[in-house]
Amino acid sequence: MTENGRCRICGNAKENKMYYVRERMINRGEIFSYMQCSSCGCLQLYENIKDMSRYYNDYIVFSDKKELPENILYNFTNKIISFFILSRKFHTRHNFRENSPLSCLECLENTGINRNKSRILDIGCGNGTWLQELHNMGFRNLNGVDKYAPQSSMRYHFLRGEIFDISKQKFDLITLHHSFEHMENPELVLKKIYELLEDDGTCIIRIPVMGCEAWKMYGQYWYQIDAPRHYFLYTPKALNIICRKAGLRICRVKYDSFWGQFYVSEMYKKTDKSFAEICKMHVSDTKMHRYQLMAQEANQRRTGDQAIFIIKKARILI
């Protein structure tokens, strides 16, 4: 995939370092080579994968279906809270819990998105949990596209395919929730996003962040590498480079990492267990609390292992 040791993001070919990472989600024991660019810091898959689809069989993002509550009072309460967040009457100082339905709004704060009017596209929507959460909170113009996921709901318009299969449409908001790192041709994806985005629209990319504290602690055992499904693990510098090539610019960054970056990576380093096996293991409240405090402190230092990037067209002022 990476030709002659040259970085596909910035073009650098000097003193790039190799790492060998084991596939742990399905855990067939395969090892994959990754290269880290010495200039932009991006970690990228070094070899060609002939059939990537087989690494998405039984993928947890598709199989771990989240049942969404239909309780009227529950949904009404979340609609009220979402109103204050979206109307800029409330500001989230801390991250919502990872499993909270309100976590889907964290990236929408201060974007001016309207429940009824805004056209929203989620690229790599997986089983559609995020879009279904938005539907429960009153959003209506929802669209999802995914290359591997089955259609799971009629609450949003679903397209089986890629972003390149969408044409003659414009969107006020385009989101990629931990899907951009799965894309083999990121520059082409960003150029297509530029084409589909309204001039005053917003693109939100949530991705693992390379060079974080967890990477420095665990190296090739950092669980966010997720070999070989993650083609690229970007640093903020690398993402900024590739956005500029596509006519886009990063306006804001919010780090939203959580305790799993330390616990799962620690287990990868100490055991041969798969990600699914580790998720089923009991974690003491004391250990979880300690790791969560570490994650919050890393986010405040802007060294957490994942972040939300708010992106606009370069010629449009936010």
Side-chain angles (χ1 to χ4, degrees), residues 215-242:
W215 163 257
K216 292 176 181 177
M217 292 173 65
Y218 300 106
Q220 64 265 40
Y221 297 103
W222 177 40
Y223 90 105
Q224 293 266 32
I225 298 176
D226 192 22
R229 285 165 290 272
H230 289 181
Y231 284 99
F232 297 92
L233 283 301
Y234 300 90
T235 59
K237 178 181 178 179
L239 185 61
N240 183 59
I241 289 172
I242 200 168

Side-chain angles (χ1 to χ4, degrees), residues 69-86:
E70 296 294 342
N71 183 282
I72 295 177
L73 179 60
Y74 172 92
N75 289 336
F76 177 75
T77 301
N78 285 337
K79 284 181 182 179
I80 296 299
I81 297 175
S82 69
F83 167 78
F84 284 102
I85 293 175
L86 297 177

